[in-house]
Amino acid sequence: MHSFTSSFKLKIKIASFVLAFFLLDFSIGKFLEQGLFRYYGLRTDSKIAFVGHSHLMLGLDKKAIEDELKIPVSKYTREGVNVAERDLMIDQLSEENPELEIVVYGVDAWMFTGEGLSANSYKLFYPFLDQEAPAAYVKKEAEFLDYWQHKLIKTSRYNEGLISSSFRGYLNNWDNLKFGVVDTLQLKLNVESGNFRQINSSEENRRIFEETLQKLKEMGKRVILVYVPTISYYNHAEPEKFRKELNYFRSLADKDSNIDYLEYLEGWEDQFNYFFDPIHLNPVGQKAFTSSFATDLKKILQDGTS
Amino acid sequence: MLFNSWEFVLFFLAVLILFFNLPQRFRVFLLLVASYYFYMSWRWEFGFLMLGVSFSNFYVGKQVAKGKNKGWWMALTSFISILPLLYYKYANFILESVEDVSAFFGKPTALPSLEVILPVGISFFTFQALSYSIDIYRQKIEPEPSLAKFLTFVAFFPQLVAGPIERSDHILPQFKEKKYFNWDEGIAGLKIFIWGLFKKVVIADRLSLYVDPVFDNPQLWSGPTLLMATIFFSIQIYCDFSGYSDMAIGVARVMGFKLMQNFNLPYWSSSIAEFWKRWHISLSTWFGDYLYIPLGGNRVSVPRWIVNIFIVFLVSGLWHGANWTFIVWGALHAFYYLVEFLGKQGMKALGLISVLGSPIYKSFKIPVVFVLATYAWIFFRANSIGDAWYISQKIFQLEGGLWWGSSSVTSLLSIALILMLAFVQFGQYKGLVGMYYRPSKFPAWLSASAFLMLLIGISLFGVSSNAFIYFQF
């Protein structure tokens, strides 16, 4: 009888421990998810959303744009997202933000290059496994056990980067923290020695991008493609390929009245003190660029043209 | 199959359920099959290699026990056991060294390099099998009559690929005992496993995100960055290896087996000699029993003793890897050991023996030993002697900025985790926090809360599956 009682007590303790784990996991997971929604501007009444990877993330100051335009905007930018992931991000935004009218899509000459961006970028959507579209995407890409671990244990969907973003969401903090200026001497040496990311656009990526633009058009959402400055050393590393990509973006805007294209290269690419590294702006560059972009965006919204 | 994978969790659950539900006579066969399955999940071919080494030691062990020509039999089994290790681990190193030596003497020779893949854990199972034959040779143990039990002893999956290197007189009797599932032991084992997992996936793997790019191209980085990477590696290697040992001990304990403690807070040592009593204990004692003592130990002349010390540390370095960096690492520790010994003798001669035991002197020496061990790790981690030499000088030049990693949040978290580890280990050092087979002095609810937080910490901050550093040895 004594043995039965102590064994029963032990089992109750183990069950309590497991329950406490899942309760804590659920609470922390929900808390972090809400913070991320705030940070990325999901589930808001924003009319404009910025979509892109770290290039756009560090290039645009969300608060400054909101102050200038006097409307709420969402900045849903993730490190390392390819065109396929951006398509999914737009689906998420369309589903979660019913007021959305304009998508500002960050573009660059390397966005159709298959290599270099993470093959595991589906992992970026772990925090959104409770939403239908991201869950379906992750299920398709991830291994069985990997998927179910993240589905069942909410805290496993996060890492310190996402936790930091979640807390920044609660603190309304979107500051660019990449202080410092690119080492142009080293960069020049790298480019001369061929040590730089090359432009190798894939037709598959281009097709996905065009399908995203078409989808946005069909949903009645206007598109503004924005080329945030990249440094001249990088832009001129493969001048022909680079020019070809720019011409492609320009042609999209020329062909389709639903698309505007804003390019910030001339007068920007040689402002070396604006760059943290070849493609990312530092806070000084971000401030200057945001100011210029906000003026142009305001003009587009008022005039309906670029 | 890594301990920090869901595949292992499922595998272990299946083994555990079967183990406690099978009649005693079948259990060892279950462990044998499970252990070979575990090992062969890396590369199935190497299972036969382990089987060959095991057979050799089992049958030759019987011959050695008979006493006739036992020296020859011992030499034969040592040769058969060490041959695969020499081929897979050291052949290319030997060939490259011959090339270097011939080039040094002005007669460059190009030798072919062998395309070999190092079998996981070969150094561990070779040493474990060999210790059995040596113990029979020394008449310390009787030969094991059951082939199945002996094969299981060599292949026992919790400690197969990265130790602890067990002795037959400790493990074989445990295979003969009937095990009953015990919740208390099971929970104690899980706690050890969780702590090991935390050290591995939260601390070690996170630190490697900083350490790897810096050590892979040291010339690109400033002195402060190299210094930070060196300190990080010191913690990384500890958390990686002791994390694996903890998980091995924990897994075995859930099944009712007690493995030896492999780490005992080595960075809290107040001397290099003490460090080696606390770091990779199963290997240190192996070298002590099977190399240092046969060489004469300290019962020889002082010059011979110094040679013995150097031999043991150099072989220990070579055991870790076929590269001159490991040999220099071993030599550096031998040098530390001898300088420390001479310093101690000098202090005794000066009548300062009371100082040696004073708590202030001891607390001064703990950070000194950590710094010395950390400095030596540079040679252990660097890709070449040239890189190691460069780093070992550059860390003293505190010029240039400190790189905060590809994510400063990750690096700051790494520092916070190191401080947390130090805090927990201080509690263990003082005997307050539980450790291996010693219970915690805190109330059960507090201990349970701490493990709850560790689990959440693993879930939140665990870095995805990286192989363990010590698998390569």
Side-chain angles (χ1 to χ4, degrees), chain A residues 10 14 17 21 24 28 32 145 149 153 155-156 158-160 163, chain B residues 6 183 187 206 406 409-410 413 448 452-453 455-456 459-461:
Chain A
L10 189 69
I14 292 167
F17 184 88
F21 172 79
L24 198 58
I28 294 172
L32 292 174
L145 288 172
Q149 176 200 325
I153 305 172
T155 45
S156 70
Y158 296 87
N159 55 37
E160 58 266 37
I163 294 167
Chain B
W6 283 109
W183 279 102
I187 290 168
R206 176 160 283 92
S406 52
V409 176
T410 300
L413 179 64
L452 190 62
M453 297 318 293
L455 277 177
I456 292 288
S459 179
L460 271 176
F461 299 117

PDB file of all heavy atoms in Angstrom, chain A residues 10 14 17 21 24 28 32 145 149 153 155-156 158-160 163, chain B residues 6 183 187 206 406 409-410 413 448 452-453 455-456 459-461:
ATOM      1  N   LEU A  10       4.419   9.920  -7.172  1.00  0.00           N
ATOM      2  CA  LEU A  10       5.489  10.199  -8.131  1.00  0.00           C
ATOM      3  C   LEU A  10       4.908  10.441  -9.517  1.00  0.00           C
ATOM      4  O   LEU A  10       5.311  11.372 -10.223  1.00  0.00           O
ATOM      5  CB  LEU A  10       6.475   9.033  -8.160  1.00  0.00           C
ATOM      6  CG  LEU A  10       7.745   9.283  -8.959  1.00  0.00           C
ATOM      7  CD1 LEU A  10       8.630  10.303  -8.282  1.00  0.00           C
ATOM      8  CD2 LEU A  10       8.499   7.998  -9.161  1.00  0.00           C
ATOM      9  N   ILE A  14       5.192  13.688 -11.859  1.00  0.00           N
ATOM     10  CA  ILE A  14       5.685  13.687 -13.249  1.00  0.00           C
ATOM     11  C   ILE A  14       4.647  14.331 -14.170  1.00  0.00           C
ATOM     12  O   ILE A  14       4.986  15.166 -15.015  1.00  0.00           O
ATOM     13  CB  ILE A  14       6.023  12.247 -13.713  1.00  0.00           C
ATOM     14  CG1 ILE A  14       7.234  11.734 -12.935  1.00  0.00           C
ATOM     15  CG2 ILE A  14       6.322  12.197 -15.203  1.00  0.00           C
ATOM     16  CD1 ILE A  14       7.471  10.233 -13.068  1.00  0.00           C
ATOM     17  N   PHE A  17       4.712  17.967 -13.769  1.00  0.00           N
ATOM     18  CA  PHE A  17       5.891  18.545 -14.408  1.00  0.00           C
ATOM     19  C   PHE A  17       5.646  18.714 -15.914  1.00  0.00           C
ATOM     20  O   PHE A  17       5.903  19.772 -16.481  1.00  0.00           O
ATOM     21  CB  PHE A  17       7.107  17.642 -14.167  1.00  0.00           C
ATOM     22  CG  PHE A  17       8.390  18.193 -14.707  1.00  0.00           C
ATOM     23  CD1 PHE A  17       9.175  19.047 -13.936  1.00  0.00           C
ATOM     24  CD2 PHE A  17       8.827  17.881 -15.987  1.00  0.00           C
ATOM     25  CE1 PHE A  17      10.357  19.571 -14.430  1.00  0.00           C
ATOM     26  CE2 PHE A  17      10.007  18.393 -16.489  1.00  0.00           C
ATOM     27  CZ  PHE A  17      10.774  19.241 -15.710  1.00  0.00           C
ATOM     28  N   PHE A  21       5.304  22.140 -17.973  1.00  0.00           N
ATOM     29  CA  PHE A  21       6.152  22.435 -19.137  1.00  0.00           C
ATOM     30  C   PHE A  21       5.302  22.954 -20.288  1.00  0.00           C
ATOM     31  O   PHE A  21       5.610  23.989 -20.893  1.00  0.00           O
ATOM     32  CB  PHE A  21       6.935  21.182 -19.565  1.00  0.00           C
ATOM     33  CG  PHE A  21       7.664  21.376 -20.869  1.00  0.00           C
ATOM     34  CD1 PHE A  21       8.872  22.065 -20.901  1.00  0.00           C
ATOM     35  CD2 PHE A  21       7.132  20.921 -22.066  1.00  0.00           C
ATOM     36  CE1 PHE A  21       9.538  22.284 -22.101  1.00  0.00           C
ATOM     37  CE2 PHE A  21       7.794  21.139 -23.265  1.00  0.00           C
ATOM     38  CZ  PHE A  21       8.999  21.812 -23.275  1.00  0.00           C
ATOM     39  N   LEU A  24       3.806  26.431 -19.563  1.00  0.00           N
ATOM     40  CA  LEU A  24       4.836  27.462 -19.672  1.00  0.00           C
ATOM     41  C   LEU A  24       5.214  27.673 -21.137  1.00  0.00           C
ATOM     42  O   LEU A  24       5.351  28.808 -21.600  1.00  0.00           O
ATOM     43  CB  LEU A  24       6.063  27.018 -18.862  1.00  0.00           C
ATOM     44  CG  LEU A  24       7.082  28.091 -18.495  1.00  0.00           C
ATOM     45  CD1 LEU A  24       6.455  29.206 -17.686  1.00  0.00           C
ATOM     46  CD2 LEU A  24       8.241  27.470 -17.708  1.00  0.00           C
ATOM     47  N   ILE A  28       4.732  31.231 -22.985  1.00  0.00           N
ATOM     48  CA  ILE A  28       5.888  31.939 -23.553  1.00  0.00           C
ATOM     49  C   ILE A  28       5.730  32.054 -25.072  1.00  0.00           C
ATOM     50  O   ILE A  28       5.970  33.113 -25.657  1.00  0.00           O
ATOM     51  CB  ILE A  28       7.214  31.220 -23.186  1.00  0.00           C
ATOM     52  CG1 ILE A  28       7.443  31.292 -21.677  1.00  0.00           C
ATOM     53  CG2 ILE A  28       8.397  31.835 -23.916  1.00  0.00           C
ATOM     54  CD1 ILE A  28       8.619  30.462 -21.179  1.00  0.00           C
ATOM     55  N   LEU A  32       5.560  35.550 -27.120  1.00  0.00           N
ATOM     56  CA  LEU A  32       6.539  35.882 -28.165  1.00  0.00           C
ATOM     57  C   LEU A  32       5.855  36.081 -29.519  1.00  0.00           C
ATOM     58  O   LEU A  32       6.233  36.970 -30.286  1.00  0.00           O
ATOM     59  CB  LEU A  32       7.595  34.775 -28.271  1.00  0.00           C
ATOM     60  CG  LEU A  32       8.537  34.648 -27.071  1.00  0.00           C
ATOM     61  CD1 LEU A  32       9.435  33.425 -27.209  1.00  0.00           C
ATOM     62  CD2 LEU A  32       9.395  35.901 -26.903  1.00  0.00           C
ATOM     63  N   LEU A 145       9.816  14.859 -38.332  1.00  0.00           N
ATOM     64  CA  LEU A 145      10.027  15.086 -36.891  1.00  0.00           C
ATOM     65  C   LEU A 145      10.295  16.554 -36.597  1.00  0.00           C
ATOM     66  O   LEU A 145       9.876  17.084 -35.564  1.00  0.00           O
ATOM     67  CB  LEU A 145      11.189  14.226 -36.378  1.00  0.00           C
ATOM     68  CG  LEU A 145      10.904  12.734 -36.264  1.00  0.00           C
ATOM     69  CD1 LEU A 145      12.165  11.957 -35.939  1.00  0.00           C
ATOM     70  CD2 LEU A 145       9.846  12.459 -35.206  1.00  0.00           C
ATOM     71  N   GLN A 149       7.965  18.654 -34.063  1.00  0.00           N
ATOM     72  CA  GLN A 149       8.582  19.241 -32.865  1.00  0.00           C
ATOM     73  C   GLN A 149       8.165  20.713 -32.734  1.00  0.00           C
ATOM     74  O   GLN A 149       7.750  21.168 -31.670  1.00  0.00           O
ATOM     75  CB  GLN A 149      10.106  19.167 -32.968  1.00  0.00           C
ATOM     76  CG  GLN A 149      10.804  19.860 -31.794  1.00  0.00           C
ATOM     77  CD  GLN A 149      12.235  20.227 -32.112  1.00  0.00           C
ATOM     78  OE1 GLN A 149      12.930  19.522 -32.825  1.00  0.00           O
ATOM     79  NE2 GLN A 149      12.685  21.351 -31.578  1.00  0.00           N
ATOM     80  N   ILE A 153       5.793  21.992 -29.759  1.00  0.00           N
ATOM     81  CA  ILE A 153       6.492  22.765 -28.714  1.00  0.00           C
ATOM     82  C   ILE A 153       6.708  24.180 -29.233  1.00  0.00           C
ATOM     83  O   ILE A 153       7.582  24.430 -30.071  1.00  0.00           O
ATOM     84  CB  ILE A 153       7.834  22.085 -28.330  1.00  0.00           C
ATOM     85  CG1 ILE A 153       7.582  20.635 -27.922  1.00  0.00           C
ATOM     86  CG2 ILE A 153       8.523  22.853 -27.207  1.00  0.00           C
ATOM     87  CD1 ILE A 153       8.834  19.810 -27.712  1.00  0.00           C
ATOM     88  N   THR A 155       7.836  26.996 -27.934  1.00  0.00           N
ATOM     89  CA  THR A 155       9.071  27.752 -27.685  1.00  0.00           C
ATOM     90  C   THR A 155      10.189  27.339 -28.641  1.00  0.00           C
ATOM     91  O   THR A 155      11.109  28.116 -28.886  1.00  0.00           O
ATOM     92  CB  THR A 155       9.547  27.569 -26.226  1.00  0.00           C
ATOM     93  OG1 THR A 155       9.464  26.186 -25.889  1.00  0.00           O
ATOM     94  CG2 THR A 155       8.726  28.381 -25.256  1.00  0.00           C
ATOM     95  N   SER A 156      10.093  26.098 -29.178  1.00  0.00           N
ATOM     96  CA  SER A 156      11.166  25.654 -30.085  1.00  0.00           C
ATOM     97  C   SER A 156      11.114  26.386 -31.424  1.00  0.00           C
ATOM     98  O   SER A 156      12.005  26.238 -32.241  1.00  0.00           O
ATOM     99  CB  SER A 156      11.093  24.140 -30.299  1.00  0.00           C
ATOM    100  OG  SER A 156       9.965  23.809 -31.076  1.00  0.00           O
ATOM    101  N   TYR A 158      11.377  29.498 -31.735  1.00  0.00           N
ATOM    102  CA  TYR A 158      12.089  30.778 -31.592  1.00  0.00           C
ATOM    103  C   TYR A 158      13.582  30.578 -31.400  1.00  0.00           C
ATOM    104  O   TYR A 158      14.040  29.496 -31.056  1.00  0.00           O
ATOM    105  CB  TYR A 158      11.507  31.563 -30.413  1.00  0.00           C
ATOM    106  CG  TYR A 158      10.065  31.930 -30.649  1.00  0.00           C
ATOM    107  CD1 TYR A 158       9.041  31.055 -30.305  1.00  0.00           C
ATOM    108  CD2 TYR A 158       9.735  33.119 -31.279  1.00  0.00           C
ATOM    109  CE1 TYR A 158       7.714  31.357 -30.577  1.00  0.00           C
ATOM    110  CE2 TYR A 158       8.414  33.437 -31.552  1.00  0.00           C
ATOM    111  CZ  TYR A 158       7.408  32.550 -31.197  1.00  0.00           C
ATOM    112  OH  TYR A 158       6.115  32.865 -31.478  1.00  0.00           O
ATOM    113  N   ASN A 159      14.306  31.665 -31.612  1.00  0.00           N
ATOM    114  CA  ASN A 159      15.718  31.717 -31.255  1.00  0.00           C
ATOM    115  C   ASN A 159      15.964  33.129 -30.715  1.00  0.00           C
ATOM    116  O   ASN A 159      15.027  33.936 -30.649  1.00  0.00           O
ATOM    117  CB  ASN A 159      16.610  31.414 -32.468  1.00  0.00           C
ATOM    118  CG  ASN A 159      16.309  32.339 -33.627  1.00  0.00           C
ATOM    119  OD1 ASN A 159      16.015  33.520 -33.445  1.00  0.00           O
ATOM    120  ND2 ASN A 159      16.358  31.809 -34.831  1.00  0.00           N
ATOM    121  N   GLU A 160      17.197  33.417 -30.339  1.00  0.00           N
ATOM    122  CA  GLU A 160      17.434  34.716 -29.707  1.00  0.00           C
ATOM    123  C   GLU A 160      17.112  35.889 -30.630  1.00  0.00           C
ATOM    124  O   GLU A 160      16.692  36.948 -30.175  1.00  0.00           O
ATOM    125  CB  GLU A 160      18.852  34.828 -29.162  1.00  0.00           C
ATOM    126  CG  GLU A 160      19.971  34.636 -30.157  1.00  0.00           C
ATOM    127  CD  GLU A 160      20.442  33.195 -30.180  1.00  0.00           C
ATOM    128  OE1 GLU A 160      19.606  32.277 -30.052  1.00  0.00           O
ATOM    129  OE2 GLU A 160      21.663  32.998 -30.334  1.00  0.00           O
ATOM    130  N   ILE A 163      13.381  36.264 -30.523  1.00  0.00           N
ATOM    131  CA  ILE A 163      12.983  36.744 -29.188  1.00  0.00           C
ATOM    132  C   ILE A 163      13.276  38.242 -29.092  1.00  0.00           C
ATOM    133  O   ILE A 163      12.451  39.021 -28.612  1.00  0.00           O
ATOM    134  CB  ILE A 163      13.729  35.957 -28.085  1.00  0.00           C
ATOM    135  CG1 ILE A 163      13.286  34.492 -28.097  1.00  0.00           C
ATOM    136  CG2 ILE A 163      13.492  36.570 -26.697  1.00  0.00           C
ATOM    137  CD1 ILE A 163      14.155  33.556 -27.276  1.00  0.00           C
TER     138      ILE A 163
ATOM    139  N   TRP B   6      15.776  13.732 -32.482  1.00  0.00           N
ATOM    140  CA  TRP B   6      14.539  13.002 -32.191  1.00  0.00           C
ATOM    141  C   TRP B   6      14.680  11.529 -32.540  1.00  0.00           C
ATOM    142  O   TRP B   6      14.030  10.674 -31.941  1.00  0.00           O
ATOM    143  CB  TRP B   6      13.366  13.630 -32.959  1.00  0.00           C
ATOM    144  CG  TRP B   6      12.911  14.892 -32.307  1.00  0.00           C
ATOM    145  CD1 TRP B   6      13.076  16.160 -32.787  1.00  0.00           C
ATOM    146  CD2 TRP B   6      12.265  15.039 -31.042  1.00  0.00           C
ATOM    147  NE1 TRP B   6      12.573  17.081 -31.904  1.00  0.00           N
ATOM    148  CE2 TRP B   6      12.056  16.423 -30.828  1.00  0.00           C
ATOM    149  CE3 TRP B   6      11.839  14.142 -30.068  1.00  0.00           C
ATOM    150  CZ2 TRP B   6      11.440  16.925 -29.681  1.00  0.00           C
ATOM    151  CZ3 TRP B   6      11.222  14.641 -28.917  1.00  0.00           C
ATOM    152  CH2 TRP B   6      11.031  16.013 -28.736  1.00  0.00           C
ATOM    153  N   TRP B 183      11.821   4.561 -10.838  1.00  0.00           N
ATOM    154  CA  TRP B 183      11.468   5.928 -11.221  1.00  0.00           C
ATOM    155  C   TRP B 183      12.500   6.937 -10.727  1.00  0.00           C
ATOM    156  O   TRP B 183      12.849   7.881 -11.438  1.00  0.00           O
ATOM    157  CB  TRP B 183      10.077   6.300 -10.686  1.00  0.00           C
ATOM    158  CG  TRP B 183       8.972   5.767 -11.542  1.00  0.00           C
ATOM    159  CD1 TRP B 183       8.204   4.675 -11.288  1.00  0.00           C
ATOM    160  CD2 TRP B 183       8.533   6.292 -12.803  1.00  0.00           C
ATOM    161  NE1 TRP B 183       7.308   4.480 -12.309  1.00  0.00           N
ATOM    162  CE2 TRP B 183       7.479   5.464 -13.253  1.00  0.00           C
ATOM    163  CE3 TRP B 183       8.913   7.373 -13.586  1.00  0.00           C
ATOM    164  CZ2 TRP B 183       6.807   5.692 -14.441  1.00  0.00           C
ATOM    165  CZ3 TRP B 183       8.250   7.600 -14.779  1.00  0.00           C
ATOM    166  CH2 TRP B 183       7.206   6.767 -15.204  1.00  0.00           C
ATOM    167  N   ILE B 187      14.466   9.297 -13.201  1.00  0.00           N
ATOM    168  CA  ILE B 187      14.393  10.769 -13.156  1.00  0.00           C
ATOM    169  C   ILE B 187      15.789  11.356 -12.956  1.00  0.00           C
ATOM    170  O   ILE B 187      16.155  12.351 -13.603  1.00  0.00           O
ATOM    171  CB  ILE B 187      13.402  11.221 -12.057  1.00  0.00           C
ATOM    172  CG1 ILE B 187      11.981  10.869 -12.498  1.00  0.00           C
ATOM    173  CG2 ILE B 187      13.514  12.715 -11.789  1.00  0.00           C
ATOM    174  CD1 ILE B 187      10.937  10.991 -11.421  1.00  0.00           C
ATOM    175  N   ARG B 206      26.170  27.163 -29.526  1.00  0.00           N
ATOM    176  CA  ARG B 206      26.051  28.617 -29.736  1.00  0.00           C
ATOM    177  C   ARG B 206      27.444  29.244 -29.807  1.00  0.00           C
ATOM    178  O   ARG B 206      27.701  30.103 -30.636  1.00  0.00           O
ATOM    179  CB  ARG B 206      25.221  29.245 -28.604  1.00  0.00           C
ATOM    180  CG  ARG B 206      25.135  30.763 -28.682  1.00  0.00           C
ATOM    181  CD  ARG B 206      23.988  31.338 -27.917  1.00  0.00           C
ATOM    182  NE  ARG B 206      22.732  31.163 -28.629  1.00  0.00           N
ATOM    183  CZ  ARG B 206      21.897  30.150 -28.489  1.00  0.00           C
ATOM    184  NH1 ARG B 206      22.171  29.214 -27.625  1.00  0.00           N
ATOM    185  NH2 ARG B 206      20.795  30.068 -29.180  1.00  0.00           N
ATOM    186  N   SER B 406      28.191  37.387 -35.993  1.00  0.00           N
ATOM    187  CA  SER B 406      27.230  37.758 -37.035  1.00  0.00           C
ATOM    188  C   SER B 406      25.950  38.286 -36.398  1.00  0.00           C
ATOM    189  O   SER B 406      25.175  38.976 -37.033  1.00  0.00           O
ATOM    190  CB  SER B 406      26.942  36.568 -37.941  1.00  0.00           C
ATOM    191  OG  SER B 406      26.571  35.467 -37.157  1.00  0.00           O
ATOM    192  N   VAL B 409      23.386  39.846 -30.584  1.00  0.00           N
ATOM    193  CA  VAL B 409      22.461  39.270 -29.588  1.00  0.00           C
ATOM    194  C   VAL B 409      22.960  37.874 -29.196  1.00  0.00           C
ATOM    195  O   VAL B 409      22.984  37.510 -28.019  1.00  0.00           O
ATOM    196  CB  VAL B 409      21.020  39.209 -30.152  1.00  0.00           C
ATOM    197  CG1 VAL B 409      20.076  38.537 -29.174  1.00  0.00           C
ATOM    198  CG2 VAL B 409      20.511  40.587 -30.485  1.00  0.00           C
ATOM    199  N   THR B 410      23.378  37.110 -30.204  1.00  0.00           N
ATOM    200  CA  THR B 410      23.876  35.747 -29.947  1.00  0.00           C
ATOM    201  C   THR B 410      25.124  35.786 -29.076  1.00  0.00           C
ATOM    202  O   THR B 410      25.265  35.000 -28.137  1.00  0.00           O
ATOM    203  CB  THR B 410      24.174  35.036 -31.288  1.00  0.00           C
ATOM    204  OG1 THR B 410      22.970  34.982 -32.038  1.00  0.00           O
ATOM    205  CG2 THR B 410      24.693  33.629 -31.088  1.00  0.00           C
ATOM    206  N   LEU B 413      24.234  36.760 -25.563  1.00  0.00           N
ATOM    207  CA  LEU B 413      23.588  35.622 -24.913  1.00  0.00           C
ATOM    208  C   LEU B 413      24.639  34.582 -24.524  1.00  0.00           C
ATOM    209  O   LEU B 413      24.559  33.980 -23.443  1.00  0.00           O
ATOM    210  CB  LEU B 413      22.546  35.003 -25.855  1.00  0.00           C
ATOM    211  CG  LEU B 413      21.804  33.783 -25.327  1.00  0.00           C
ATOM    212  CD1 LEU B 413      20.950  34.136 -24.116  1.00  0.00           C
ATOM    213  CD2 LEU B 413      20.913  33.167 -26.406  1.00  0.00           C
ATOM    214  N   ALA B 448      13.061  20.870  -9.389  1.00  0.00           N
ATOM    215  CA  ALA B 448      12.158  20.597 -10.521  1.00  0.00           C
ATOM    216  C   ALA B 448      11.942  21.862 -11.348  1.00  0.00           C
ATOM    217  O   ALA B 448      11.942  21.822 -12.586  1.00  0.00           O
ATOM    218  CB  ALA B 448      10.827  20.062 -10.008  1.00  0.00           C
ATOM    219  N   LEU B 452      12.767  22.516 -15.226  1.00  0.00           N
ATOM    220  CA  LEU B 452      11.727  23.015 -16.123  1.00  0.00           C
ATOM    221  C   LEU B 452      12.290  24.175 -16.958  1.00  0.00           C
ATOM    222  O   LEU B 452      12.105  24.243 -18.180  1.00  0.00           O
ATOM    223  CB  LEU B 452      10.532  23.479 -15.287  1.00  0.00           C
ATOM    224  CG  LEU B 452       9.242  23.821 -16.019  1.00  0.00           C
ATOM    225  CD1 LEU B 452       8.700  22.607 -16.747  1.00  0.00           C
ATOM    226  CD2 LEU B 452       8.205  24.349 -15.049  1.00  0.00           C
ATOM    227  N   MET B 453      13.007  25.072 -16.278  1.00  0.00           N
ATOM    228  CA  MET B 453      13.602  26.215 -16.977  1.00  0.00           C
ATOM    229  C   MET B 453      14.681  25.750 -17.961  1.00  0.00           C
ATOM    230  O   MET B 453      14.832  26.328 -19.040  1.00  0.00           O
ATOM    231  CB  MET B 453      14.199  27.224 -15.981  1.00  0.00           C
ATOM    232  CG  MET B 453      13.197  27.871 -15.051  1.00  0.00           C
ATOM    233  SD  MET B 453      11.650  28.363 -15.837  1.00  0.00           S
ATOM    234  CE  MET B 453      12.190  29.665 -16.909  1.00  0.00           C
ATOM    235  N   LEU B 455      14.681  22.942 -19.596  1.00  0.00           N
ATOM    236  CA  LEU B 455      13.977  22.396 -20.768  1.00  0.00           C
ATOM    237  C   LEU B 455      13.461  23.514 -21.666  1.00  0.00           C
ATOM    238  O   LEU B 455      13.597  23.452 -22.895  1.00  0.00           O
ATOM    239  CB  LEU B 455      12.805  21.516 -20.318  1.00  0.00           C
ATOM    240  CG  LEU B 455      13.150  20.076 -19.956  1.00  0.00           C
ATOM    241  CD1 LEU B 455      11.908  19.351 -19.465  1.00  0.00           C
ATOM    242  CD2 LEU B 455      13.714  19.338 -21.158  1.00  0.00           C
ATOM    243  N   ILE B 456      12.897  24.536 -21.034  1.00  0.00           N
ATOM    244  CA  ILE B 456      12.410  25.675 -21.821  1.00  0.00           C
ATOM    245  C   ILE B 456      13.609  26.355 -22.502  1.00  0.00           C
ATOM    246  O   ILE B 456      13.537  26.773 -23.669  1.00  0.00           O
ATOM    247  CB  ILE B 456      11.636  26.674 -20.921  1.00  0.00           C
ATOM    248  CG1 ILE B 456      10.322  26.041 -20.432  1.00  0.00           C
ATOM    249  CG2 ILE B 456      11.383  27.993 -21.626  1.00  0.00           C
ATOM    250  CD1 ILE B 456       9.232  25.880 -21.480  1.00  0.00           C
ATOM    251  N   SER B 459      14.601  24.413 -25.461  1.00  0.00           N
ATOM    252  CA  SER B 459      13.627  24.605 -26.538  1.00  0.00           C
ATOM    253  C   SER B 459      13.782  25.974 -27.208  1.00  0.00           C
ATOM    254  O   SER B 459      13.740  26.098 -28.426  1.00  0.00           O
ATOM    255  CB  SER B 459      12.224  24.455 -25.951  1.00  0.00           C
ATOM    256  OG  SER B 459      11.267  24.662 -26.932  1.00  0.00           O
ATOM    257  N   LEU B 460      14.002  27.002 -26.393  1.00  0.00           N
ATOM    258  CA  LEU B 460      14.101  28.362 -26.932  1.00  0.00           C
ATOM    259  C   LEU B 460      15.446  28.627 -27.606  1.00  0.00           C
ATOM    260  O   LEU B 460      15.508  29.228 -28.672  1.00  0.00           O
ATOM    261  CB  LEU B 460      13.945  29.377 -25.803  1.00  0.00           C
ATOM    262  CG  LEU B 460      12.557  29.867 -25.434  1.00  0.00           C
ATOM    263  CD1 LEU B 460      12.644  30.781 -24.234  1.00  0.00           C
ATOM    264  CD2 LEU B 460      11.892  30.621 -26.587  1.00  0.00           C
ATOM    265  N   PHE B 461      16.507  28.201 -26.935  1.00  0.00           N
ATOM    266  CA  PHE B 461      17.840  28.628 -27.374  1.00  0.00           C
ATOM    267  C   PHE B 461      18.693  27.510 -27.963  1.00  0.00           C
ATOM    268  O   PHE B 461      19.854  27.738 -28.300  1.00  0.00           O
ATOM    269  CB  PHE B 461      18.593  29.261 -26.199  1.00  0.00           C
ATOM    270  CG  PHE B 461      17.919  30.475 -25.632  1.00  0.00           C
ATOM    271  CD1 PHE B 461      17.455  30.496 -24.325  1.00  0.00           C
ATOM    272  CD2 PHE B 461      17.732  31.600 -26.416  1.00  0.00           C
ATOM    273  CE1 PHE B 461      16.825  31.609 -23.794  1.00  0.00           C
ATOM    274  CE2 PHE B 461      17.102  32.723 -25.899  1.00  0.00           C
ATOM    275  CZ  PHE B 461      16.644  32.727 -24.588  1.00  0.00           C
TER     276      PHE B 461
END
